[in-house]
Amino acid sequence: MDLSIVVPVFNEQENLEPLIDEIHAALDGQLDYEIIYVNDGSTDETLSVLQTLRARDDRLRVLSHAISCGQSTAVRTGVKAARAPWIATLDGDGQNDPADIPSLYALVRQENRDPDLCMIAGWRRKRQDSRLKKFSSRLANGVRARVLKDDTPDTGCGLKLFTREIFLELPYFDHMHRFLPALVLRAGKKVQSVEVNHRPRNRGVSKYGVHNRLWTGIVDMLGVLWLQRRGKRPEITEL
């Protein structure tokens, strides 16, 4: 298997089938892949809809948290269950475009790829969000970039491609998904940002705003800074 697509969802019943159909349209005939949806304790009909879709889709796997544990934990649940060496993540709201996945995967399959390149981070240069949401994201990205120096313009983009191996080596904590590029760099690997398509949300309600984009991330950011300063990367020689 080439690729595992991991999609964490919380109360996204209206977006499930359209996004899954788009994933198939983008990848069928190009890659051997699986789709892993992680229901993070949804309180709407998300789980029942996923069960119905699973019954007729051999590529779809469904994992479910009994109670909501947050996006980072949902992503980790999916990655741990994944069968492929490469993982692509998507937000479940349909704003990420699955059609971008093949081009991202092509970058890591190049013969001359730097072996240390372990993550391709999506960059929503032309975001389709409200002014408030775009402002809060720019503010959070600017603060994070100054403090962590992760050289990534958009860590909040849900579309990322990375190796399962490197992800499972990273320190795990709630909200870690916001800091994946910094954590990958801390592990001595490389990250490349690539511009991707971003679309308006057509169904459902956003779960994120100014408060949980900036203020609740400050403590986490300082924790990542602490990890950066305490990290050691030994040079290993096998005799």
Side-chain angles (χ1 to χ4, degrees), residues 13-143:
Q13 62 183 31
E14 298 172 328
N15 287 307
L16 301 172
E17 187 169 7
L19 184 57
I20 290 171
D21 287 344
E22 286 191 303
I23 294 172
H24 284 307
L27 300 183
D28 281 356
Q30 298 196 54
L31 298 171
D32 183 12
Y33 68 97
E34 64 179 357
I35 305 170
I36 303 175
Y37 263 72
V38 182
N39 170 49
D40 186 35
S42 295
T43 56
D44 65 355
E45 297 302 311
T46 290
L47 182 56
S48 62
V49 173
L50 283 172
Q51 289 171 328
T52 299
L53 296 172
R54 171 68 186 89
R56 62 175 190 251
D57 189 339
D58 291 339
R59 291 192 183 273
L60 178 62
R61 300 170 61 194
V62 177
L63 307 174
S64 188
H65 293 166
I67 59 173
S68 178
C69 297
Q71 186 173 349
S72 289
T73 303
V75 169
R76 189 167 185 264
T77 293
V79 173
K80 288 174 67 176
R83 298 172 179 143
W86 284 93
I87 309 292
T89 58
L90 292 169
D91 285 339
D93 57 14
Q95 290 192 261
N96 299 139
D97 190 346
D100 284 317
I101 295 175
S103 60
L104 299 189
Y105 186 74
L107 292 175
V108 301
R109 298 305 298 169
Q110 294 176 346
E111 291 185 4
N112 60 347
R113 175 181 70 89
D114 186 330
D116 285 333
L117 178 62
C118 290
M119 173 175 285
I120 306 293
W123 178 9
R124 301 164 295 177
R125 186 191 289 268
K126 299 177 181 177
R127 290 194 59 171
Q128 303 299 313
D129 283 319
S130 68
R131 290 182 180 180
L132 179 60
K133 197 169 183 180
K134 287 189 283 188
F135 169 77
S136 65
S137 182
R138 284 197 300 269
L139 182 60
N141 275 315
V143 172

Side-chain angles (χ1 to χ4, degrees), residues 124-168:
R124 301 164 295 177
R125 186 191 289 268
K126 299 177 181 177
R127 290 194 59 171
Q128 303 299 313
D129 283 319
S130 68
R131 290 182 180 180
L132 179 60
K133 197 169 183 180
K134 287 189 283 188
F135 169 77
S136 65
S137 182
R138 284 197 300 269
L139 182 60
N141 275 315
V143 172
R144 188 213 66 256
R146 285 177 179 271
V147 174
L148 301 182
K149 297 177 173 55
D150 57 12
D151 194 30
T152 304
D154 184 12
T155 65
C157 181
L159 177 52
K160 292 183 176 70
L161 180 71
F162 48 82
T163 66
R164 181 177 183 272
E165 180 180 19
I166 191 63
F167 181 91
L168 295 178

